[in-house]
Amino acid sequence: VSRVSTASVAAGAVAFAAFAGAVAALVLAASPAVVGVLLALAALAGALLVADRLRLRALLVPLGAPTGDVHAQSVALATAPLTRRVVLAGAGATAAAGGALVAFGPEQPPGTGWRRGVHAVTPEGRRVRAEDLPTGAFVTVWPEGEVGAELSAVAVVRLSTGTAEPPTVLEWVVQQRIVAYSKVCTHAGCAVDLYRTGSDELYCPCHQAVFAARRGAVPVFGPAAVPLPQLPLGTDPEGYLVATGDFPRPIGPYRA
Ligand code: FES
């Protein structure tokens, strides 16, 4: 009897691949549903792996110390149904590991419609080519297929006063001047609907908060305490603007 059965190898490979996939999904800010499915698959495969290993160990004991009808004992053990306790123990251990990953891993995505590869579209549903944005352009965009979704509204700006500077995440800037920020004000959640060409400032009309679009949308005036979250931005092979991920932190009013 082989000490490593084909079933163990297969279950172990599936458990490892599903768990690694869940970690990657978290890092890439995939939807919680994807993470949940992968963790559940890892838990199931892990449980089967544990169960198979324990059954194999039980099968080897009587073969090493033969007493009575060894063949009958072996067949009985090898074909015995997996006990509920073994399955639950394996599933519980793997699920606990997954839960710990979710609890102590990277911050959860904020739940907007932005994902890697999703196109930015105008209120009319048109995709936006980077080349078509003139200097000083200010465009409101949404994830394709979710036009009008309040929490996903984004301001795209082609800076007029120079290239973007830190704390802007420069890898998320297209052609060094096209930046994208959440339009949901970090003060009280109004729409940041105004932009001043010439100073590259985004302006919230509710309580007059002003954000420096060229410098990571840090607040420079008014009651807002934290910057507008920056959307990871890139282009597809044809030059249309796409998200390269979701926002790195929750959008909307800041809660200390
Ligand atoms: S909600 Fe924007 S400044 Fe108050």
Side-chain angles (χ1 to χ4, degrees), residues 12 15 48 62 77 113 118 197 202 209 254:
L48 292 175
L77 283 166
V118 170
T197 307
L202 294 162
Y254 174 67

Side-chain angles (χ1 to χ4, degrees), residues 100-200:
L101 175 68
V102 171
F104 303 110
E107 191 173 350
Q108 292 301 292
T112 73
W114 295 105
R115 300 281 180 274
R116 174 185 289 271
V118 170
H119 282 87
V121 298
T122 65
E124 297 77 32
R126 286 200 309 273
R127 294 182 177 182
V128 180
R129 259 168 57 98
E131 293 296 338
D132 294 341
L133 293 175
T135 298
F138 171 76
V139 183
T140 298
V141 298
W142 279 276
E144 193 167 41
E146 294 192 27
V147 170
E150 195 176 329
L151 297 180
S152 298
V154 159
V156 170
V157 169
R158 184 186 279 275
L159 301 170
S160 62
T161 59
T163 57
E165 298 176 353
T168 312
V169 180
L170 300 181
E171 298 81 51
W172 299 347
V173 178
V174 172
Q175 298 175 358
Q176 300 182 309
R177 285 184 182 244
I178 302 177
V179 291
Y181 299 104
S182 168
K183 285 190 70 172
V184 184
C185 186
T186 54
H187 175 233
C190 288
V192 179
D193 257 339
L194 302 172
Y195 165 65
R196 290 180 184 140
T197 307
S199 62
D200 285 328

Side-chain angles (χ1 to χ4, degrees), residues 184-192 203-211 222-224:
V184 184
C185 186
T186 54
H187 175 233
C190 288
V192 179
Y203 178 75
C204 178
C206 279
H207 311 100
Q208 291 77 52
V210 179
F211 303 89

